[in-house]
Amino acid sequence: MEHPLGYVDHTHPNLVYRLKKTLYGLKQASRAWSDKIGQYLLTSGFQTSNVDYLLYVKKTNRGIVVIVIYVDDLIITKDSDVDIFDLKKLLKQKFEMKDLGKLRYFFNIVVIQSPKGIWLLQRQ
Amino acid sequence: MVRVIHEIEPTCFEHVVGNPKWDNAIDEKMVALDANATWELVVLPKDNKAIGCKWVYKVKHNADGSVSRYKARLVAKGDAQTYDIDYEETYSPVAKMTTVRVIIVMAATKGWSLHSNGCKECFSSWRFTRRNVHGTPIRLCGPYTS
């Protein structure tokens, strides 16, 4: 890669940056991310589905945790007895993920959760 | 009343150079990328062409509308990459809509709540996926067993 603006070294014009890790914009970036998060979930006891490799399920003695990966978003649901506080903490530490709380918005769909059920709205 | 006047995010380097807050943002990012061992400086191999990169500037706001941080992100110009030479297989981690629908139905019938975790920096600073001798990506997914 060429020298970033502001760091152009005119005394060494033949030197370039050989990337060892991904940067935004690279074709490899999304694959590297999904492999990384997938690997992490598998080592923390999740299993991936044969039907959809972006669906991860973990069974614990208190119930199950389900994670769906949608590009840079994770949708998480679980038995109400399962505590995912630690999982969220680790996701934050390892992946700089932000806990967005209850799912409210996803791929142009507004999600409203209430004790009566879940509403999905496509109104813009 | 909420203050809605937002500082304009610059689009080109010429507009930010010499401006201390953006210079700082750029320096900060370069230090972080260096510390992360993102790259090494090498002599460009003969007959190769280096891809370009550019800075993208973001102004982060607090909930009250005040500026919290000036952020610069370095973006590689991946559109210049050529299939088979610079990269092999691309992949976008998008779950099937059916999967998402099933999960939502499960949550609704069982009374589970749906949570969301987002990631702004998820596409940067990962080691490139290793490949086996045939150049195909190593499959990470194990079968789901019940």
Side-chain angles (χ1 to χ4, degrees), chain B residues 58-120:
Chain B
K58 288 266 171 257
V59 182
K60 298 266 166 191
H61 295 273
N62 293 315
D64 65 355
S66 60
V67 173
S68 71
R69 226 182 129 198
Y70 294 92
K71 242 185 127 173
R73 173 187 282 166
L74 188 63
V75 179
K77 291 185 178 168
D79 51 300
Q81 290 178 281
T82 313
Y83 183 77
D84 251 15
I85 297 169
D86 302 309
Y87 67 99
E88 284 143 24
E89 210 175 321
T90 55
Y91 177 68
S92 177
V94 181
K96 293 177 186 138
M97 210 34 155
T98 325
T99 307
V100 178
R101 223 182 293 136
V102 169
I103 296 308
I104 291 174
V105 169
M106 261 177 82
T109 49
K110 297 199 177 241
W112 296 349
S113 60
L114 294 158
H115 302 259
S116 167
N117 258 247
C119 185
K120 281 266 164 72

Side-chain angles (χ1 to χ4, degrees), chain A residues 70-87:
Chain A
Y70 205 90
V71 197
D72 51 358
D73 267 321
L74 302 189
I75 301 170
I76 307 173
T77 187
K78 58 176 185 75
D79 271 307
S80 40
D81 286 345
V82 185
D83 188 7
I84 53 166
F85 181 78
D86 286 342
L87 174 73

Side-chain angles (χ1 to χ4, degrees), chain B residues 16 43 63 73-74 93-94 98 101 106 121 128 130 140 143 146:
Chain B
V16 304
V43 176
R73 173 187 282 166
L74 188 63
V94 181
T98 325
R101 223 182 293 136
M106 261 177 82
E121 295 299 324
F128 291 99
R130 275 179 299 135
L140 294 161
S146 53

Side-chain angles (χ1 to χ4, degrees), chain A residues 59-97:
Chain A
K59 293 189 173 179
T60 71
N61 46 15
R62 315 194 78 179
I64 68 166
V65 184
V66 179
I67 295 183
V68 178
I69 301 179
Y70 205 90
V71 197
D72 51 358
D73 267 321
L74 302 189
I75 301 170
I76 307 173
T77 187
K78 58 176 185 75
D79 271 307
S80 40
D81 286 345
V82 185
D83 188 7
I84 53 166
F85 181 78
D86 286 342
L87 174 73
K88 286 196 171 186
K89 204 169 94 182
L90 285 167
L91 285 174
K92 192 178 172 182
Q93 274 170 13
K94 276 189 90 87
F95 297 98
E96 292 178 50
M97 293 205 91

Side-chain angles (χ1 to χ4, degrees), chain B residues 7 33 44 53 70 76 84 113:
Chain B
E7 202 166 328
L33 289 168
L44 181 66
C53 57
Y70 294 92
D84 251 15
S113 60

